[in-house]
Every structure is written in C-alpha cells, then in structure tokens.
Amino acid sequence: MTETRTPGFCALCKSRCGALMVTRDGRLVGQEPFPAHPTGAALCVKGKAAPEIVYSPQRQLYPLRRTRPKGDPDPGWRRISWDEALDETAERLGAIRAADGAQAVAIGLTTPSGTPISDDLRWIERFINAFGTPNIVYGTEICNWHKDHAHAFTFGRGIASPDFQRAGCIVLWGHNPSATWLDHATATSAAVARGARLVAVDPRRAGFANRADQWLRVRPGADAVLALGLARAMIENGWFDRAFMRDWSNGPLLVRRDTERFLRAADLAAPPAGAAPTDLVAVAADGRLLAWSPERRTYGGGDAPALEASLDLAGVDGATLACRSAFALYRAACAPYTPERVAREAWVAAAQVETTARLLHESGPVAYYAWSGLGQHTNATQTDRAVALVMALTGSFDAPGGNVEFGRPRAGDVTGAAFMDAAQRARCIELARSRLGPGRDGWVGTDTLYDSILDGRPYRVRGLLGFGRNFIVNHADGRRGAEALARLDFHVQADVVMSPTAAFADIFLPINTPWERESLRVGFEGSQRAENLVQLRPAVIESRGESRSDAQLVFDLAGRLGFGDRFWNGSIEAGFAAILDPLGLTLDELRRHPEGVSLDLQPHYHRYRREGFRTPTGLLEVFSEPLAGEGQPAVPRFVEPALSPAAPAAASFPLVLTCAKVVHYCHGQHRHVPSLRRRAPDPLVTIHPDTARARGIADGEWVEVSSPNGAVRLRARLDASLDPRVVAAQYGWWQDNAPLGLPGYDPLGRHGANYNTLVSDRDADPVSGSTGLRSLLCEVRPLGAGA
C-alpha cells in the first residue's frame, strides 16, 4: 500500500487554499493543509471532504441525451458517447449561430469564487470570444460586480486586496470570511491577534462579528444609510484625511447646479488663465479659479484647491452659474444622516455611529472588504458608492495597510478578447438596462436572459451552453427560470452532478473534479507572497467514468465548430505554454516543482501618485459624471430596497428577510456529502425568540416562510442576537443525501426549501441588475406537529 502526499491547491472556492492531496494506491483518500503554501495555513471542512466529493454516487460520469419532452418529470436520459454529444452540440449551436447570429446562444457560467470552474475559466472565455456570443450569464450582478466594478466609479479600479499584515483597522462589510474565504479569515485573525481593530457590519452575529470592536447590526438593504451616517460623523468632526481628499479626489471640482455636470473652462466668461476649453475648474483658497487637466493631472498655477466651495460665476452667455464643489455636494448629501436617523432607518444604535467613525479615523490605516452582503440588493450600486467613499475618507487607499494592488505575474492572456469585435459586443442584451453595468463586459443578469427567451426582448436567445450555472437554485425567481429553460430550442449543460438546472438540458456533459485534472494557477490572492506564486496542480487520480475537464470540453468543441486553430489544434499544453512564456517558465519546470515557483514582485503602493486614478477626472471620484449621465445619482444616495418596511407589502409581510452562505457548503452544492450534511442536516431559518414566541413557533419546529413571491418550508432556529424585525434564512437547498437518509427538496414547489423562489426578479438595481436576495419581506408561521 503506497500513500503519497502531492502539493497542490484546493479549487472549491475563492480562497484556493494550498493543500496536500493524499492518495493511496491510485485512490484519493484525503486533502490536508499545506502550511508552506502562502494560502495553506488551514483547510475547511469542504476541502477535507474531497474524497467524498470525488466518489459520491450522485456524480454523473457519462454523457446523456434527453429522450422525453421538457415538461415530462422523467427526462428519459439515455447514455451516449462523447463524440455523439459533441457532434450534436456543435451541429445545433452552429445552426442557431448561422440562422440568428452567435448572440442567439448564451453561455451560462458558474462562479469561480465558489466552484472549481476557476481551473478552466480562461479557456471557456476564449471559447466564448471565438464563438462570438456577447451574452454570458455569469451571476456577477449578485456576486463580485459591485466590489470589483462598481467600485471603479469611485477609485478607477476594484476593491483590490486588504493589506492585512499592515492594517491598523479591518472592516468586514457584508463579508464573513469564516464562511466564504478561509485565507481572509486566517489573515484577519492574525491581524487582530497583533492588535488591529475590527469592525463588522452584518445583520447577523456571525463569524468575526463575535470578535469585533464594533459589530454594526445593520438592517438588510440599509447599508447606505449607515455609510452616509458614518461619513457625516467623519466630516463634521474632522475625522478624515482632508489633505488626501483635497489633493487626490475630485471633491474640489466645481459642479454646475443647473446641469449637475462639472463646470468646464469653456462655460465661463472669464476662464482660469491658460485653461483649455475642456479643463475642469476648482477655486483656490484666495478665490482665484484653477483649471484642472485630467490629462496632465495638475491644477493650473500649482496652487492647492479648496475642498469645499459654493459660488456664483458668470457664464460665457452672460448667465449666472451657481456652482458648488463636489465635496460640498457630498457633505450636503450626508448631512441629514444623523446618528438618530441612522438608528431609525438602519437599526444601528446611534452611539455606535460616532464611535465607529472615530475608530476608523484613529486606528488607521484601514483595510476593508465587502462582498455579497452589500451586493445582493436592488440598491447595491449606490450602496457600494456610499461605502467606497467612507473608506476614501480614511486616506488609506493604496497605502501600506490599506487596500492595495499587489504585483501580479504578467502571464500571457489567452482569453481571446480580440476575437470578438466591438459591434458584436454591442449586441449584448444586458446593455438595454445600463451601458455602465455588467453588460459592458458581456455579462447578463438572469432576469434579462429570461426576458429574452420568453418575450424576445430585445431579441430571442434560442440556445444555452451552461457550465455549472444552477439558475433555478442560485438566482431569483426559480419558477420563472424553469419556464425560460423549458422554452429554449437547445440546451447543453456541463456539470459534476445533475442539478435542477441540468435537468432541463437536452444534452448533459459530465465534468471531472479538480483532483482528476491538471490546472495552472498564475498568482493566488490575499497577499503579495500569494500573488508571487505560479503553480501547476497535477491530476493525482484518473478521471472517474468518462468525465472530462471543462478545458477538454471546449478544446474539443472548438474543433468541431471550425475554430480549432484558435485552440492550438486541441493541445491544452500548448495553451499553457502560451500563458507561461512571458514569465520565462515552462511546464516541465513547474512539474518538477509541484509546490510552485515564486517570483519576485512587490505591491503597488501609492500607484495613483505616479499614474493618477483610472477615472474620467483622473482623480478619486466623489462626484461621478458617468453615473449622472445615466440618470443615476452622481453623489451617493440611499434608495430603499424594492421590498422594505416602507413598502405597501409590509402590511402582510412585516419581517425583513435576508440570507447568507452556509459555512459547510459552497452555495447550492455539497448537501449530498455525508460529512458535511451531518454538520448541517436541515435548511434553517433563524428567528429572534420574541418574534417566534409571538407566532407560536418553537425552536427546531418546521415553519413556512412566505413572501409576496412564494413560500418555502424551513426548520426554525432561535437566535437572540438577531434584530426581532429580521429573519435570516439559508439558501441552496435541493439535494438529498441517501447515505444519511436525509431528503432532497423540490426546488420549484411550495413545500420545497429553495429560498430563491421567495425572491422576485422583477425589481433589480438599475445599473447592475442585482436582485434583492438579501433584503425582502416575509412572514413566518408554524406548520405544526408532523410537518
């Protein structure tokens, strides 16, 4: 009996923890932490369950073809060969493309933050570009878009990485790394142990909220109220970096009150000396006008501008132009949000507002992270702006101990973006919502996809090639999703198990697990040491059955669709070589060093001082003219979620409902894994004891949770730390667990446990398309004995 420990990394989630893959006589028997790896200090229960995932009887191991209509409860799956499956897929997708254009085929792409698709994502993106569809249903609007893209409305880049090792204060806002990113949790714990202060903003006392210096128990969907209140306290008390905001933000630039656009030199009867017509305008402390050139990134005359100004100027046509500086407008937007108002609307204690504002000022540098807890609301874009500006006020941007861009290896880009031209990208169906949202990158919300399939708006998507995206369980309004999937002309789904979404497919393609395939990782996340690492994870066991990697699938399919030459004529190794060549590394070298090869890169501290901000003004944007141009608030504003206590539906559904990721599972996966299901056997809804008592609900009792959109059945758990007005449920439940004798749940029925059927997709954020998965209204009632 031979036991081997092979260095690698776990691909189940965004943490991508360094791991030792343990095999015995050709069989995977374990996965352990790999402390020598920069992300390998610990391994979660999901990673340790690797053998159960690999050898689960629920895995699908062979290609299948549907033989019965989609309305039939039994698809009549018939096993076919890979050649049959790929030939039919290429023929059907090719026919749709020939008849209606590549845009009539959408690609469903699961999250690389919570599934192993990160192993092969680059190849799928290359396939998308070569095929030519601008419609990628990625789920970004309810995952990373706000932190990684809406953040750019303020900073010109995404949230980047907290510099945990140097931070004096860490803010976790809508982010519980204990459940979502183990390496972040390890780094946060280490920072707190050395004395860093900690702020957690979360409706639930979960994870680091139990250890925080300030736990802000915000009402779900009211985070912008809290952010504006914190900003008000920081500004009014002088608890912010005034010099940073003056010198590096567009706060000093004057905004015309009549147009709500920046004042330009060409607007003035007497522009600043030497100003170009398109230069923007600020005012110096002595009242002189200064020209700001985004191209030169300098103020004319070299004087420092006034951060706050309000004045009338003579326009070129003789009219009086009333102007205020962008920062003055921001201050005015924050002014109404007193601690008392924050307590009334956001349900955070008034005393905590100023205490936390002072903590942020005195304990810097401040590093922070925000994720789905902020992003899964119908007001998420404005909320992201409000939170981003609170963090800007600390002056920690790009500084040691703040949020920084670590140096990254400059590997070859093989995603093939040049294969698709701008005219084709402009056909993305999501652009009808906003030209500033995910549609800019071809990313489509499920509500937009369903509108296209069901109603032909703006044109009809006829085909879908899905890579693990489980629409019915992980997105709002699963029943509408089912209706749309049933209406597709052709649907291919690639996955490890037969999900509720895969059950609607015409062809099912079995995908292998990370331990059965080779994967190249160029840079990890979370620290500079992690970003420096290049690692080729080997396959440590043979693929079970006929399962294949997503990479092999798209390489093979590309050849059948006529663009195999763009995939190195089927050679994945040649593709890897194209990635590694700019780094001076080879596959042979990485195979000799399975622990990885570390490069010598450094963080880009204070990059803006050298290059400016990648924004229209070249400055950190307090005032966003692009958002104003789309009819959105240029300065952050709180908008109630579509279903909030202020909505008429609150009369019948008086409780605020939210959800969060279950620590034992990755989204809607892994309930079939016995060691994990033992830890979390039932779908839960957490209720305050007073709220439960008023409804006759006992701890552990099965209850019905209903919303204006539907109802589900969950088991009640009482938690006195919750606000009595808030209910927190779990999502992702559908799988059974035969070894433990535990049931599955109908993902579409009223007696099921699919949380997302409670959420309508008819209301969404006007820019991102995010739906209110974490802020809606509900009522809860007991089901009684025997339910």
Side-chain angles (χ1 to χ4, degrees):
M1 184 169 63
T2 303
E3 187 168 281
T4 304
R5 281 170 170 77
T6 304
F9 57 90
C10 180
L12 293 180
C13 78
K14 190 173 180 65
S15 193
R16 288 179 267 276
C17 298
L20 294 173
M21 302 174 287
V22 185
T23 54
R24 187 180 302 136
D25 297 332
R27 186 176 176 88
L28 184 72
V29 295
Q31 186 166 243
E32 301 170 351
F34 181 24
H37 193 284
T39 64
L43 198 65
C44 75
V45 292
K46 299 180 287 290
K48 292 176 180 177
E52 294 175 89
I53 294 172
V54 170
Y55 300 110
S56 168
Q58 285 202 24
R59 276 191 65 182
Q60 298 294 323
L61 302 177
Y62 302 96
L64 303 170
R65 177 190 286 126
R66 170 184 294 277
T67 62
R68 294 181 180 174
K70 291 187 180 180
D72 196 310
D74 178 7
W77 293 116
R78 182 173 69 82
R79 179 176 165 182
I80 57 175
S81 70
W82 269 97
D83 282 339
E84 288 178 281
L86 292 174
D87 286 345
E88 181 172 345
T89 297
E91 179 184 350
R92 297 286 298 276
L93 296 182
I96 293 172
R97 182 175 60 171
D100 294 316
Q103 64 272 15
V105 174
I107 306 294
L109 195 54
T110 192
T111 172
S113 297
T115 74
I117 203 168
S118 55
D119 281 352
D120 294 328
L121 183 61
R122 56 174 72 96
W123 308 126
I124 300 172
E125 291 175 337
R126 187 177 183 89
F127 178 89
I128 291 166
N129 286 317
F131 184 84
T133 179
N135 294 316
I136 311 162
V137 195
Y138 200 4
T140 185
E141 74 282 359
I142 55 171
C143 184
N144 69 309
W145 191 84
H146 301 92
K147 70 181 180 69
D148 291 338
H149 298 274
H151 239 56
F153 293 131
T154 303
F155 296 117
R157 72 164 201 212
I159 198 169
S161 293
D163 192 3
F164 289 109
Q165 295 179 347
R166 297 168 180 82
C169 179
I170 294 169
V171 179
L172 303 176
W173 200 318
H175 174 46
N176 177 16
S178 302
T180 60
W181 194 338
L182 184 59
D183 191 55
H184 263 202
T186 303
T188 300
S189 292
V192 171
R194 65 166 172 75
R197 309 299 294 275
L198 179 63
V199 176
V201 185
D202 196 320
R204 305 171 307 127
R205 193 167 208 156
F208 284 97
N210 289 288
R211 301 168 57 185
D213 295 282
Q214 288 294 317
W215 168 42
L216 305 179
R217 191 180 65 178
V218 68
R219 167 167 68 93
D223 300 85
V225 173
L226 176 58
L228 291 166
L230 289 171
R232 177 193 177 277
M234 295 168 79
I235 293 169
E236 295 300 322
N237 291 288
W239 296 334
F240 72 102
D241 192 332
R242 178 174 284 273
F244 174 76
M245 296 302 291
R246 180 196 65 208
D247 297 340
W248 296 106
S249 85
N250 69 8
L253 299 181
L254 297 177
V255 177
R256 291 177 54 163
R257 302 306 305 274
D258 57 343
T259 62
E260 293 298 319
R261 300 292 188 275
F262 283 119
L263 178 71
R264 287 168 168 80
D267 298 336
L268 294 171
T278 58
D279 280 356
L280 307 177
V281 180
V283 61
D286 62 6
R288 290 180 300 107
L289 296 183
L290 305 174
W292 169 261
S293 167
E295 292 76 24
R296 297 188 300 275
R297 299 195 302 277
T298 58
Y299 285 101
D303 292 307
L307 185 57
E308 298 186 67
S310 180
L311 68 164
D312 294 338
L313 297 169
V316 69
D317 58 358
T320 297
L321 303 180
C323 301
R324 294 182 77 180
S325 68
F327 192 85
L329 291 173
Y330 175 50
R331 182 173 193 153
C334 297
Y337 290 92
T338 62
E340 294 72 26
R341 181 172 178 179
V342 173
R344 187 169 61 251
E345 297 185 13
W347 303 350
V348 172
Q352 287 189 282
V353 177
E354 292 209 352
T355 300
T356 303
R358 186 166 190 161
L359 177 67
L360 294 176
H361 176 61
E362 295 180 347
S363 303
V366 178
Y368 69 102
Y369 210 76
W371 206 348
S372 302
L374 278 187
Q376 293 182 348
H377 305 280
T378 58
N379 57 6
T381 299
Q382 284 298 312
T383 298
D384 184 272
R385 282 274 291 149
V387 171
L389 283 177
V390 169
M391 300 306 158
L393 290 172
T394 70
S396 301
F397 176 84
D398 241 7
N403 280 50
V404 302
E405 288 183 315
F406 294 119
R408 292 180 175 178
R410 297 196 175 197
D413 181 2
V414 295
T415 58
F419 296 159
M420 196 187 322
D421 61 30
Q424 182 64 3
R425 294 188 188 281
R427 294 186 173 97
C428 175
I429 55 179
E430 183 66 24
L431 290 171
R433 188 196 319 269
S434 172
R435 304 200 72 80
L436 296 178
R440 290 189 300 181
D441 295 293
W443 300 327
V444 173
T446 48
D447 60 331
T448 302
L449 175 70
Y450 302 161
D451 287 344
S452 175
I453 296 170
L454 297 171
D455 304 324
R457 292 186 284 126
Y459 54 81
R460 186 165 177 249
V461 166
R462 297 175 50 205
L464 175 67
L465 174 56
F467 293 90
R469 172 60 57 184
N470 191 354
F471 299 105
I472 288 174
V473 173
N474 290 332
H475 289 261
D477 216 335
R479 281 183 282 271
R480 188 163 178 264
E483 181 185 358
L485 292 174
R487 292 271 295 275
L488 286 165
D489 291 354
F490 186 63
H491 175 192
V492 179
Q493 191 77 8
D495 211 331
V496 178
V497 300
M498 184 64 68
S499 72
T501 296
F504 282 86
D506 297 287
I507 298 288
F508 179 90
L509 301 175
I511 300 302
N512 60 12
T513 67
W515 305 275
E516 299 166 309
R517 62 183 180 238
E518 200 170 49
S519 177
L520 174 64
R521 186 82 198 167
V522 179
F524 290 73
E525 294 181 74
S527 68
Q528 187 59 70
R529 181 170 168 247
E531 287 287 4
N532 287 352
L533 189 67
V534 181
Q535 187 177 18
L536 184 71
R537 189 194 66 229
V540 292
I541 56 173
E542 295 291 327
S543 290
R544 291 188 61 211
E546 294 180 6
S547 61
R548 297 183 182 180
S549 67
D550 292 296
Q552 191 65 61
L553 189 167
V554 296
F555 271 68
D556 290 345
L557 190 56
R560 285 170 165 82
L561 283 164
F563 46 85
D565 57 322
R566 290 182 163 174
F567 280 77
W568 299 274
N569 295 313
S571 172
I572 297 176
E573 289 213 359
F576 281 151
I579 297 169
L580 293 172
D581 186 57
L583 300 176
L585 296 172
T586 65
L587 285 172
D588 287 343
E589 183 177 1
L590 291 178
R591 286 176 178 139
R592 289 195 301 271
H593 297 279
E595 75 282 3
V597 173
S598 188
L599 306 179
D600 185 17
L601 302 168
Q602 300 300 320
H604 298 296
Y605 292 130
H606 297 130
R607 189 172 189 165
Y608 63 89
R609 295 179 181 175
R610 302 183 299 275
E611 302 174 12
F613 290 80
R614 297 188 289 272
T615 63
T617 61
L619 296 162
L620 185 156
E621 301 225 319
V622 175
F623 184 97
S624 173
E625 206 168 56
L627 282 171
E630 285 278 307
Q632 299 301 310
V635 171
R637 184 181 73 189
F638 171 61
V639 179
E640 283 282 1
L643 277 181
S644 80
S652 301
F653 301 95
L655 300 173
V656 174
L657 177 61
T658 192
C659 69
K661 186 174 178 289
V662 185
V663 66
H664 307 99
Y665 306 119
C666 288
H667 301 299
Q669 307 163 80
H670 304 144
R671 272 77 173 173
H672 65 303
V673 176
S675 67
L676 302 180
R677 190 70 176 267
R678 285 190 190 98
R679 297 168 182 264
D682 300 314
L684 300 179
V685 58
T686 308
I687 311 172
H688 190 278
D690 293 345
T691 308
R693 191 178 305 113
R695 288 160 173 78
I697 296 170
D699 191 32
E701 184 176 5
W702 285 92
V703 299
E704 180 183 79
V705 180
S706 59
S707 78
N709 204 60
V712 294
R713 294 185 173 191
L714 309 170
R715 189 186 287 276
R717 184 176 67 185
L718 305 189
D719 182 354
S721 70
L722 267 184
D723 188 298
R725 296 163 287 186
V726 173
V727 172
Q730 296 178 351
Y731 70 92
W733 287 86
W734 61 275
Q735 283 177 297
D736 70 338
N737 193 300
L740 299 182
L742 291 173
Y745 301 90
D746 180 356
L748 299 174
R750 188 179 181 89
H751 294 169
N754 183 3
Y755 171 92
N756 285 349
T757 60
L758 299 173
V759 187
S760 170
D761 71 352
R762 297 296 75 194
D763 294 297
D765 183 278
V767 177
S768 69
S770 177
T771 49
L773 299 178
R774 297 208 186 197
S775 53
L776 62 153
L777 298 174
C778 78
E779 183 53 286
V780 185
R781 69 175 183 87
L783 288 173

